[in-house]
Amino acid sequence: MIILTDAQAQALRAFIETFDLHASGVWPEIKEGMREDFGIEAPASVLEDVRRVLRGQQS
């Protein structure tokens, strides 16, 4: 398990939310990279879990 500081968690949340707002059109490449390079089978689902955790909600 990796534990983030509050500042690290806030920075990660800000990056994810900002990416969604400003990086249109690149999701297919990101999703493919997450699958091929990191073995994440369901990138969208995993990122939604990350969002919930960063908001302080249970996944």
Side-chain angles (χ1 to χ4, degrees):
M1 176 189 294
I2 296 172
I3 299 174
L4 301 175
T5 66
D6 288 343
Q8 290 168 327
Q10 181 62 26
L12 182 56
R13 182 176 180 201
F15 173 80
I16 291 169
E17 299 299 333
T18 302
F19 181 88
D20 278 352
L21 293 173
H22 300 286
S24 62
V26 297
W27 176 243
E29 291 86 2
I30 299 295
K31 182 170 58 173
E32 181 179 334
M34 289 177 74
R35 285 183 176 150
E36 291 180 6
D37 299 339
F38 297 95
I40 298 171
E41 293 299 321
S45 177
V46 170
L47 286 174
E48 188 54 41
D49 287 346
V50 170
R51 282 187 173 109
R52 278 194 294 274
V53 169
L54 291 173
R55 284 188 226 119
Q57 302 169 350
Q58 297 294 326
S59 70

